[in-house]
């Protein structure tokens, strides 16, 4: 049975922290593949300004070239609705009925998972692969994992924290600070070529 990870997010932009998380899950759970799925309209980030869908997906394609088991997936971008995870995992389960799916999430998402749209249905289609990214976070998340495992399968993975976020990178770009240490070189080149996050690049969507 193939083991497929589904890693959704804004990827605005995708950075080395995302790669660190993906590689950790891939290695620990021996996954065959991880799909990077940029969200169209994330339900929890409705007020955040986004660069164009084309640019975010293009950067996911660039970053997926770094590992043969990473694949950029535009499913959510092609939907004319809010990117609820329920619809995504349901789609991929129908697409790959014989595969075992793992939904890759961070610790902050596990803590609020029971507020997600049709969260119990999500656990019928996919197991959770949750990364504890901060010192002491693993122990704090055990109680959430124990509650959720009554409804589905939860894998809690402890790893070293990678202190970076897309928000931090965007702010550094706006302030003309050096941000290149947080991104693969080709992503840096793409952002500079397209003049993204400077207020004069591609149109933003909200």
């Amino acid at each position: 049975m193939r083991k497929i990870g589904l890693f959704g997010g804004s990827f605005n932009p995708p950075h080395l922290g995302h790669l660190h998380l993906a590689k950790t899950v891939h290695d620990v759970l021996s996954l065959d593949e991880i799909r990077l799925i940029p969200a169209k309209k994330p339900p929890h980030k409705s007020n955040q300004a986004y660069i164009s869908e084309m640019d975010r997906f293009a950067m996911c394609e660039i970053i997926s070239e770094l590992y043969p088991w990473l694949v950029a997936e535009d499913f959510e971008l092609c939907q004319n609705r809010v990117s609820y995870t329920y619809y995504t995992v349901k789609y991929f389960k129908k697409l790959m009925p014989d595969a075992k799916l793992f939904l890759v999430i961070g610790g902050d998402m596990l803590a609020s998972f029971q507020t997600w749209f049709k969260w119990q249905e999500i656990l019928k289609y996919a197991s959770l692969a949750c990364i504890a990214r901060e010192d002491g976070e693993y122990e704090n998340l055990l109680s959430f994992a124990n509650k959720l495992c009554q409804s589905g399968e939860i894998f809690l993975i402890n790893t070293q924290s990678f202190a970076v976020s897309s928000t931090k990178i965007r702010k550094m770009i706006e302030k003309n600070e050096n941000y290149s240490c947080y991104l693969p070189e080709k992503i840096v080149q793409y952002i500079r070529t397209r003049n993204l996050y400077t207020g004069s690049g591609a149109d933003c969507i909200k």
Side-chain angles (χ1 to χ4, degrees):
M1 176 182 291
R2 297 182 70 217
K3 298 164 70 176
I4 308 295
L6 305 178
F7 185 10
S10 306
F11 299 119
N12 189 33
H15 51 67
L16 293 178
H18 293 128
L19 273 180
H20 171 68
L21 193 155
K23 189 174 188 309
T24 299
V25 174
H26 171 268
D27 293 350
V28 171
L29 297 180
S30 300
L31 302 187
D32 296 290
E33 183 178 284
I34 291 183
R35 302 283 180 101
L36 296 179
I37 311 171
K40 185 180 184 70
K41 302 174 183 177
H44 302 299
K45 298 183 180 180
S46 57
N47 294 324
Q48 182 177 351
Y50 277 46
I51 59 169
S52 72
E53 295 172 2
M54 179 199 73
D55 283 319
R56 289 192 293 123
F57 182 67
M59 287 190 286
C60 284
E61 287 188 306
I62 291 170
I63 211 168
S64 69
E65 295 173 359
L66 298 176
Y67 294 114
W69 42 265
L70 274 181
V71 179
E73 170 62 58
D74 64 355
F75 168 74
E76 291 191 358
L77 298 180
C78 294
Q79 309 304 306
N80 187 27
R81 61 187 177 205
V82 174
S83 297
Y84 286 115
T85 301
Y86 163 74
Y87 295 116
T88 301
V89 295
K90 182 179 180 181
Y91 166 79
F92 282 104
K93 190 59 180 177
K94 184 176 181 179
L95 183 68
M96 301 177 286
D98 296 328
K100 183 174 178 60
L101 301 183
F102 295 82
L103 179 63
V104 181
I105 63 174
D108 55 336
M109 297 180 183
L110 182 68
S112 63
F113 187 76
Q114 287 178 293
T115 68
W116 289 24
F117 178 69
K118 293 191 175 182
W119 66 271
Q120 291 174 311
E121 297 296 315
I122 293 173
L123 290 175
K124 292 180 181 179
Y125 296 121
S127 301
L128 295 187
C130 177
I131 293 287
R133 295 173 293 186
E134 299 175 1
D135 294 339
E137 188 179 41
Y138 184 90
E139 289 74 16
N140 293 334
L141 291 173
L142 278 176
S143 60
F144 292 105
N146 288 333
K147 291 179 182 178
L148 291 173
C149 71
Q150 299 173 17
S151 300
E153 193 173 45
I154 317 294
F155 293 88
L156 194 56
I157 304 168
N158 203 7
T159 188
Q160 292 182 343
S161 177
F162 195 104
V164 65
S165 69
S166 296
T167 300
K168 178 179 179 178
I169 292 170
R170 292 196 304 272
K171 289 181 179 179
M172 293 180 75
I173 297 173
E174 290 173 3
K175 296 177 181 178
N176 200 29
E177 297 175 352
N178 184 7
Y179 58 91
S180 59
C181 62
Y182 297 121
L183 298 166
E185 182 179 352
K186 287 187 177 181
I187 297 292
V188 173
Q189 293 173 354
Y190 185 90
I191 289 173
R192 289 174 177 170
T193 300
R194 297 279 295 168
N195 200 23
L196 303 178
Y197 306 113
T198 63
S200 56
D203 293 336
C204 292
I205 357 178
K206 290 190 177 182

